């Protein structure tokens, strides 16, 4: 890494942190031997007390957790406890797991292709309150069967209640946190460890010596070297260590908390195809390759495997996942060819940490820090496209957008704010943001009628004509 490259990287870090009002950030780059090539800390774990970040400061991982859940499932398959081609219903009592007469299989959930539209989040604190229990150090929610049983009942019953689907099982991706929640319940019920937390501790975190990592809520709330979480809620900043805030009731989709030091160890395991830096095999090569294999399109050039995404930078593969929750922006990525792993952790919501990770990968390879963005020729929406796409689209997670005709083209309003939608290909548009491009792709039935649209990683059902 050249002095200029590092200067460019740190300039990008400064810009991203400024744009996202980020309070604190940690970044590290490792090679396959576990040698740390770059490690720096910016800002504070607690801005009010001016407390610094170090390599053992705990951050939320949010959806980076999904790779741990997928790795656990692949370990169980290697142990002969299940097959990813099994129906999910085989392992979860009371869950029919049917999509238009076809069973949803484990592998469908691993790559978000069960066919489920996004639903409102079922959260930890509300569920615990409803059944009259609380989280304590002596009796943590993450180990309690009564809490897990209620969580899976709530999640499974409402998935079974869906009568509209994004497509057949395995047909297309729509990001589904509930699916990874069900996968973690399969691990709880059938691994022999009694809870998802215990499985992670015994089969992944312990063997990798990730001693500061866990899926606890209360332990991290009480840990002084856990980052304060900064979230913008209704126009006001919230700052606390409430690691239950908006957390999924089932833990496989986003409950992990970890540190820069621990996550770099996790990256080394992938770079060594399942072997830790000190030579312990965590899982076989085949299972690692199955996790990394592209299976569903997320957006042009980006694919989802089992709990991991993949894309190309030039002729090099990058495997990655990001995470976002209140007070959490996380990025985990590695390149098998380059033998580089990169971790970026931030204690502020909605910070473009993936842009920092991309720049870090480029700089580590001696490339310009910023990769060129795709260029598209100007085109106009056809009359057929506009007629079919016009309408309102509402996600169960709370987001919505409207597509309407304006001055001979399609205008897009997202959550009440106009954003710049550009037609790039027939039946596809794009919104260019400062650090990323978000694609809009309509989903059409056999008669060519638009019944939904994918925006980003979610498929939004079409709910009515435009206003």
């Amino acid at each position: 890494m050249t002095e200029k490259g590092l200067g460019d990287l740190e300039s990008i870090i400064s810009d991203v942190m400024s744009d996202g009002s980020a309070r604190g950030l940690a970044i590290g780059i490792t090679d396959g031997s576990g040698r740390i090539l770059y490690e720096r800390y910016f800002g504070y774990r607690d801005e009010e007390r001016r407390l610094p970040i170090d390599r053992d400061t705990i951050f939320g991982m949010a959806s980076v957790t999904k790779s741990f859940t997928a790795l656990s499932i692949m370990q169980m398959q290697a142990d002969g406890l299940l097959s990813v081609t099994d129906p999910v219903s085989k392992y979860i009592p009371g869950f029919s797991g049917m999509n238009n007469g076809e069973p949803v299989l484990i592998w469908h959930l691993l790559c978000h292709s069960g066919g489920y539209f996004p639903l409102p989040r079922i959260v930890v604190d509300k569920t615990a309150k409803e059944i009259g229990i609380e989280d304590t150090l002596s009796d943590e929610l993450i180990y309690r069967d009564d809490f897990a049983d209620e969580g899976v009942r709530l999640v499974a019953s409402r998935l079974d209640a869906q009568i509209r689907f994004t497509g057949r099982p395995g047909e297309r991706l729509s990001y589904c946190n509930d699916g990874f929640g069900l996968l973690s319940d399969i691990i709880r019920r059938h691994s022999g460890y009694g809870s998802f937390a215990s499985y992670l501790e015994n089969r992944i975190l312990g063997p990798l010596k990730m001693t500061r990592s866990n899926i606890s809520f209360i332990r991290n709330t009480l840990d002084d070297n856990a980052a304060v979480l900064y979230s913008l809620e209704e126009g006001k900043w919230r700052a606390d260590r409430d690691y239950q805030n908006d957390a999924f009731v089932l833990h496989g989709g986003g409950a992990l908390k970890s540190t820069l030091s621990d996550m770099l160890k996790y990256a080394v395991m992938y770079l060594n195809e399942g072997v830790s830096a000190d030579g312990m095999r965590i899982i076989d090569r085949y299972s690692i390759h199955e996790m990394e294999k592209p299976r569903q399109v997320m957006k042009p050039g980006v694919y989802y495997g089992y709990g991991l995404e993949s894309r190309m930078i030039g002729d090099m593969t990058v495997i990655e996942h990001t995470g976002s929750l209140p007070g959490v922006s996380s990025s985990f990525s590695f390149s098998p060819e380059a033998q580089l792993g990169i971790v970026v952790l931030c204690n502020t919501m909605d910070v473009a940490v993936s842009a920092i990770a991309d720049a870090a990968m480029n700089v580590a390879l001696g490339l310009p820090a910023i990769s060129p963005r795709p260029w598209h020729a100007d085109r106009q929406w056809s009359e057929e496209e506009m007629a079919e796409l016009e309408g309102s689209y509402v996600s169960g997670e709370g987001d919505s957008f409207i597509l309407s005709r304006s001055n001979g083209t399609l205008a897009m309003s997202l959550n009440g704010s106009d954003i710049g939608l550009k037609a790039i290909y027939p039946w596809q548009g794009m919104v260019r943001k400062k650090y990323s491009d978000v694609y809009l792709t309509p989903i059409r039935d056999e008669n060519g009628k638009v019944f939904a649209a994918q925006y980003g990683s979610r498929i939004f059902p079409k709910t009515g004509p435009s206003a």
Side-chain angles (χ1 to χ4, degrees):
M1 290 181 283
T2 66
E3 186 174 337
K4 180 184 184 304
L6 289 175
D8 290 343
L9 170 60
E10 292 179 4
S11 177
I12 291 167
I13 292 171
S14 177
D15 288 346
V16 169
M17 290 187 69
S18 176
D19 290 342
S21 300
R23 306 317 202 271
L25 185 140
I27 177 172
I29 305 175
T30 184
D31 65 14
S33 73
R35 182 168 60 106
I36 305 303
L37 306 178
Y38 177 79
E39 179 179 352
R40 278 213 63 184
Y41 306 95
F42 302 83
Y44 302 96
R45 74 175 190 265
D46 183 331
E47 185 181 50
E48 289 69 31
R49 296 162 63 195
R50 314 299 271 186
L51 297 179
I53 300 165
D54 61 40
R55 63 196 337 260
D56 294 319
T57 299
I58 290 171
F59 290 83
M61 296 296 107
S63 286
V64 173
T65 306
K66 291 178 172 67
S67 65
F68 288 80
T69 305
L71 179 61
S72 302
I73 290 289
M74 298 307 288
Q75 286 177 323
M76 289 177 64
Q77 177 172 259
D79 292 342
L81 298 176
L82 54 75
S83 168
V84 297
T85 59
D86 289 337
V88 178
S89 60
K90 178 179 178 180
Y91 299 96
I92 298 180
F95 178 57
S96 71
M98 299 298 289
N99 170 343
N100 283 324
E102 297 183 51
V104 175
L105 309 181
I106 289 175
W107 78 262
H108 296 146
L109 298 187
L110 285 167
C111 57
H112 298 293
S113 60
Y116 300 111
F117 281 108
L119 292 167
R121 185 170 297 186
I122 301 173
V123 295
V124 165
D125 52 359
K126 182 179 178 182
T127 303
K129 183 177 181 180
E130 287 174 348
I131 62 176
I133 62 175
E134 61 180 289
D135 205 7
T136 65
L137 284 174
S138 60
D139 194 13
E140 290 190 70
L141 290 176
I142 59 173
Y143 300 112
R144 292 187 61 151
D145 279 336
D146 55 351
F147 183 74
D149 287 343
E150 176 65 5
V152 77
R153 183 190 70 80
L154 292 170
V155 170
S157 62
R158 70 176 191 166
L159 289 178
D160 273 343
Q162 281 206 18
I163 57 174
R164 297 179 68 191
F165 297 92
T166 64
R168 296 171 60 176
E171 184 176 1
R172 55 176 65 98
L173 175 144
S174 182
Y175 203 85
C176 182
N177 289 302
D178 283 344
F180 272 82
L182 293 185
L183 292 172
S184 62
D185 197 67
I186 291 174
I187 297 162
R188 172 182 75 101
R189 292 176 187 271
H190 300 283
S191 68
Y193 286 90
S195 69
F196 179 52
S198 294
Y199 186 92
L200 291 179
E201 291 159 5
N202 284 277
R203 295 297 303 274
I204 299 176
L205 305 178
L208 289 175
K209 297 182 173 59
M210 297 176 67
T211 57
R212 290 278 287 163
S213 301
N214 59 75
I215 64 166
S216 177
F217 299 101
I218 193 164
R219 271 181 266 164
N220 301 297
T221 294
L222 300 174
D223 191 321
D224 191 56
N225 199 12
V228 171
L229 306 172
Y230 294 90
S231 304
L232 191 61
E233 298 181 2
E234 298 180 354
K236 296 182 179 180
W237 282 100
R238 168 177 171 171
D240 54 37
R241 282 203 191 89
D242 181 6
Y243 280 85
Q244 286 190 7
N245 186 13
D246 209 28
F248 307 113
V249 69
L250 298 178
H251 311 311
L256 187 73
K257 295 86 181 172
S258 190
T259 67
L260 185 69
S261 176
D262 280 0
M263 288 302 297
L264 290 171
K265 296 173 187 176
Y266 187 59
V268 169
M269 184 273 294
Y270 282 100
L271 292 173
N272 292 326
E273 298 178 303
V275 178
S276 68
D278 59 5
M280 176 174 285
R281 180 159 289 284
I282 305 301
I283 195 169
D284 58 288
R285 284 186 175 89
Y286 170 82
S287 296
I288 291 289
H289 297 162
E290 286 295 287
M291 289 178 65
E292 297 171 350
K293 187 180 295 182
R295 297 177 188 277
Q296 294 290 344
V297 177
M298 288 200 76
K299 68 177 185 179
V302 180
Y303 303 88
Y304 208 92
Y306 292 162
L308 291 167
E309 302 169 21
S310 64
R311 60 191 174 89
M312 303 296 292
I313 292 182
D315 58 357
M316 179 189 66
T317 308
V318 175
I319 312 294
E320 61 191 357
H321 212 293
T322 57
S324 179
L325 275 172
V328 177
S329 297
S330 59
S331 175
F332 165 71
S333 59
F334 61 93
S335 171
E337 293 96 336
Q339 281 291 286
L340 292 170
I342 295 172
V343 176
V344 185
L345 307 176
C346 181
N347 62 344
T348 310
M349 67 181 291
D350 295 338
V351 175
V353 289
S354 59
I356 295 173
D358 288 350
M361 185 68 77
N362 285 336
V363 166
L365 292 167
L367 301 172
I370 299 177
S371 299
R373 306 275 282 274
W375 178 87
H376 301 94
D378 290 335
R379 73 172 295 271
Q380 298 296 318
W381 298 102
S382 70
E383 280 297 317
E384 180 189 9
E385 289 170 321
M386 289 192 289
E388 279 297 320
L389 277 164
E390 267 195 302
S392 52
Y393 301 76
V394 179
S395 163
E397 291 178 314
D399 293 317
S400 64
F401 63 86
I402 295 173
L403 298 176
S404 57
R405 296 191 199 218
S406 177
N407 298 319
T409 189
L410 276 178
M412 184 173 183
S413 171
L414 176 66
N415 296 328
S417 298
D418 293 337
I419 58 175
L421 177 66
K422 173 182 172 65
I424 57 170
Y425 299 117
W427 298 101
Q428 189 168 64
M430 183 188 74
V431 175
R432 174 142 289 176
K433 297 185 175 182
K434 182 172 181 178
Y435 296 108
S436 64
D437 297 330
V438 186
Y439 291 80
L440 174 79
T441 306
I443 309 298
R444 297 187 288 167
D445 62 21
E446 294 298 323
N447 298 314
K449 298 297 183 183
V450 173
F451 69 91
Q454 181 171 342
Y455 182 68
S457 60
R458 268 76 167 174
I459 294 180
F460 291 56
K462 189 175 184 180
T463 60
S466 59

